[in-house]
Amino acid sequence: MSLAAPAYLRQPSLHGDTVVFVSDDDLWRASVHGGVAQRLTAGLSEPATPCLSPCGEWLAYTGRDEQHAEVWLMPAAGGPARRLTWLGSDLAVRGFSPAGHIVFCSNHGQPFFRNWHGYTLDPTRPGTLPERLPLGQMDHLAYGPAGRRVIGRNTGDPARWKRYRGGRVGQLWMENGSSGSFRRMSELQGNLTSPMWLGERLYFLSDFEGVGNLYSCLPDGRARRRHTHHADFYARHAASDGQRIVYQCAAELWLYDPASESTRRLDITVPTARTQAA
């Protein structure tokens, strides 16, 4: 008799064939080819938004072991974690800049809890203060070809506010080259989130056709394509290593490969006692 129960896998990050994700309030590491996952943390609180570094050696994430959400860093293969910020506010790690700095968004110093701004932090210089980006309110930031950036504003998790179309709908703002000026991509419909670059195309999640799925377009918004076809549950928390995209749908992780234009579920086993579920 088997007592195994499926785990709830969420918030994945990708580097090559390695995927890191959250399950049972801990961080886990597994292969995109499937198999048994390796536990990375056994903390006292809830880690979130893990992001693998471009070199694949480091893992930045949002940690709450010392009460407030702060930026933490640990070896991607496992090991001691180090706290990098002391902001005392809400935040989410969003990735790494081309210079190798951690990118995160936070409402630190803001009068309203939803007014998040972008920051960068050099992980090689312990004790360095985060540098606030002069780009206004944002929840996501993606770096594209030649340094071109895309800002996500109000880009939370549309699965928690399905088919919302009000004043806080997710928006993507495209930089004009590397000029520092941005325009809203108003031609993209629905509640938008998770901007990512693969080559010359911008990928993102949208629910403009009813259920959240993965789409892409050119930088000017033309030639939009749909890449996934989930009909029952939203595609959520998409992340990319610049080659492929991993995302959550229901309680499972999925991998999209643009080379073959294919999507497949990752067959990952998480050997945990399901303490939080119990």
Side-chain angles (χ1 to χ4, degrees), residues 22-240:
V22 179
S23 182
D24 204 37
D25 284 347
D26 276 312
L27 299 179
W28 299 78
R29 173 189 174 109
S31 168
V32 297
H33 302 296
V36 178
Q38 168 197 354
R39 182 192 291 272
L40 295 178
T41 65
L44 304 175
S45 189
E46 303 173 8
T49 62
C51 293
L52 288 160
S53 66
C55 66
E57 296 183 5
W58 298 98
L59 175 64
Y61 65 96
T62 305
R64 295 180 174 84
D65 280 1
E66 298 177 2
Q67 302 302 323
H68 297 107
E70 302 288 355
V71 178
W72 290 68
L73 184 72
M74 67 180 298
R82 176 163 50 98
R83 180 177 173 178
L84 298 184
T85 62
W86 283 260
L87 299 179
S89 57
D90 202 8
L91 61 80
V93 176
R94 295 305 189 196
F96 286 78
S97 73
H101 295 178
I102 298 170
V103 177
F104 68 94
C105 296
S106 173
N107 59 4
H108 171 67
Q110 298 302 311
F112 304 107
F113 73 96
R114 287 194 177 123
N115 190 17
W116 286 31
H117 289 253
Y119 293 81
T120 59
L121 179 63
D122 187 351
T124 66
R125 300 174 60 194
T128 302
L129 292 176
E131 180 180 347
R132 180 170 164 176
L133 298 171
L135 300 175
Q137 189 268 335
M138 71 170 69
D139 296 88
H140 285 84
L141 177 63
Y143 293 86
R148 171 179 274 191
R149 297 168 292 182
V150 170
I151 291 172
R153 290 180 172 161
N154 303 328
T155 46
D157 180 11
R160 300 181 62 184
W161 211 349
K162 295 179 176 63
R163 290 169 285 281
Y164 174 72
R165 299 294 185 267
R168 285 194 51 81
V169 70
Q171 310 167 8
L172 300 185
W173 291 70
M174 175 69 68
E175 186 172 19
N176 180 20
S178 56
S179 64
S181 63
F182 294 77
R183 73 165 188 92
R184 179 179 174 182
M185 302 183 74
S186 56
E187 63 275 7
L188 302 180
Q189 301 171 323
N191 201 358
L192 310 173
T193 189
S194 301
M196 302 160 287
W197 289 93
L198 272 72
E200 297 293 330
R201 294 187 68 85
L202 174 68
Y203 287 74
F204 55 92
L205 299 179
S206 173
D207 65 352
F208 84 98
E209 293 182 298
V211 176
N213 274 286
L214 179 67
Y215 298 83
S216 74
C217 67
L218 295 176
D220 60 5
R222 295 183 298 110
R224 184 182 61 208
R225 300 175 189 166
R226 177 174 174 173
H227 302 284
T228 62
H229 302 277
H230 299 288
D232 296 321
F233 301 99
Y234 273 49
R236 306 169 64 188
H237 306 302
S240 173

